[in-house]
């Protein structure tokens, strides 16, 4: 894996290694006049359980990672798994099964960049380095310059989305979105695939933090999680404000 492993704690396991982005995070901070507030992206980095800890099948990965220059938007998904899993015991096996399923579908690796469990633990999804703009396979037509975050579970109508999960999603979004992107605002993205809601080559105005259904004909991320997106946007914006000094 790219990056350096640092010893740290996480809810899902008693001992994990955190991948730090080091200089990669620093490159996102724009030069500013002396005394002007600067967004310190590195201060927003969450603890992330690396692929090694959930036993990702690296030999099964089909292609090397692709990278983009920036992250303009985040797409939120749910994985449609049962919500009764044990965060400590069950999640690594669930992620490994998901990775193998996505590879069988022809997506080369696990499609999502990050997966969050109901306890709020953040897992590294697609390989390539958590501090880099790794191109995922999560949103048909809009994988370029975006990050896919998957909520582990099913958050359809009537389901409750745990607050630790929501807070973790907001923190990833606050961390990964490029400086200058307002988590509460909209961005311009160009579709690369006509199987999305937008014909290939069409410019779409989408929320900087969008649900999968905003770009593709699907119920994902479920009605309950979709209804929580405004809260996630506000929380991400607040986290960024707290990291600007």
């Amino acid at each position: 894996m790219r990056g350096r492993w640092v010893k740290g704690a996480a809810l899902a396991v008693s001992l994990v290694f955190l991948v730090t982005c080091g200089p990669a995070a620093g490159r996102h901070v724009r030069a500013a006049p002396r005394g002007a507030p600067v967004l310190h992206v590195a201060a927003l980095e969450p603890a992330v359980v690396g692929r090694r800890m959930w036993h990702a099948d690296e030999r099964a990965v089909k292609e090397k990672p692709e990278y983009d220059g920036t992250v303009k938007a985040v797409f939120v998904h749910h994985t449609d798994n049962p919500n009764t899993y044990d965060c400590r015991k069950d999640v690594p096996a669930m992620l490994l099964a998901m990775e193998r399923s996505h590879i069988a579908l022809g997506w080369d690796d696990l499609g999502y960049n990050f997966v969050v469990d109901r306890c709020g633990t953040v897992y590294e999804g697609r390989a390539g380095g958590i501090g880099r703009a790794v191109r995922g396979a999560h949103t048909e037509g809009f994988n370029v310059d975006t990050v896919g975050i998957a909520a582990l579970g099913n958050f359809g109508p009537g389901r409750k989305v745990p607050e630790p999960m929501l807070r973790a999603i907001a923190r990833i979004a606050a961390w990964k979105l490029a400086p200058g992107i307002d988590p509460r605002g909209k961005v311009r993205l160009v579709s690369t695939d006509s199987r999305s809601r937008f014909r290939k080559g069409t410019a779409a105005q989408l929320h900087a933090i969008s649900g999968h259904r905003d770009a593709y004909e699907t119920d994902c991320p479920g009605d309950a999680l979709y209804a929580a997106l405004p809260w996630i946007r506000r929380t991400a914006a607040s986290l960024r404000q707290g990291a600007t000094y």
Side-chain angles (χ1 to χ4, degrees):
M1 294 299 302
R2 291 178 170 84
R4 177 170 57 87
W5 292 93
V6 180
K7 206 170 184 180
L11 292 174
V13 287
S14 58
L15 182 66
V16 300
F17 292 91
L18 308 182
V19 184
T20 61
C21 57
R27 70 167 181 262
H28 294 304
V29 179
R30 294 177 179 174
R34 181 174 296 180
V38 173
L39 173 61
H40 293 264
V41 178
L44 296 167
E45 180 179 350
V48 180
V49 180
R51 287 168 62 91
R52 186 181 303 176
M53 294 307 300
W54 58 262
H55 309 295
D57 187 351
E58 306 296 2
R59 291 179 298 180
V61 176
K62 299 297 184 183
E63 297 290 343
K64 293 182 179 179
E66 290 185 84
Y67 297 97
D68 294 315
T70 189
V71 175
K72 295 180 179 178
V74 163
F75 284 100
V76 178
H77 305 253
H78 70 170
T79 63
D80 213 20
N81 292 93
N83 296 340
T84 53
Y85 56 85
D86 184 290
C87 292
R88 183 180 296 273
K89 297 178 181 178
D90 298 335
V91 174
M94 294 169 72
L95 294 175
L96 179 58
M98 193 186 309
E99 179 199 22
R100 288 173 172 168
S101 173
H102 287 190
I103 290 172
L105 288 169
W107 299 348
D108 299 330
D109 191 1
L110 200 156
Y112 311 118
N113 298 97
F114 299 93
V115 180
V116 179
D117 72 18
R118 63 189 183 91
C119 296
T121 305
V122 179
Y123 293 85
E124 179 184 14
R126 199 170 188 86
I130 64 169
R132 303 187 66 182
V134 179
R135 185 176 301 175
H138 50 82
T139 305
E140 194 82 61
F142 293 94
N143 291 313
V144 177
D145 294 337
T146 67
V147 159
I149 306 172
L152 193 61
N154 183 312
F155 299 101
R159 305 295 178 96
K160 180 176 175 57
V161 187
E163 185 173 333
M165 173 178 272
L166 292 175
R167 289 195 177 278
I169 294 170
R171 189 168 190 87
I172 299 168
W175 171 48
K176 293 301 294 183
L177 286 170
I181 301 290
D182 182 354
R184 299 162 299 184
K186 291 191 174 183
V187 296
R188 179 182 181 274
L189 299 173
V190 177
S191 173
T192 62
D193 196 319
S194 295
R195 288 173 292 184
S196 73
R197 287 186 181 273
F198 302 88
R199 187 178 297 277
K200 182 178 179 179
T202 301
Q205 291 291 325
L206 296 169
H207 287 284
I209 301 176
S210 287
H212 187 189
R213 66 176 65 175
D214 292 326
Y216 188 74
E217 192 66 45
T218 177
D219 292 332
C220 182
D223 287 356
L225 183 50
Y226 192 79
L229 291 182
W231 185 93
I232 291 172
R233 293 175 190 128
R234 292 193 301 272
T235 302
S238 178
L239 287 168
R240 287 195 149 203
Q241 184 177 12
T244 302
Y245 48 87

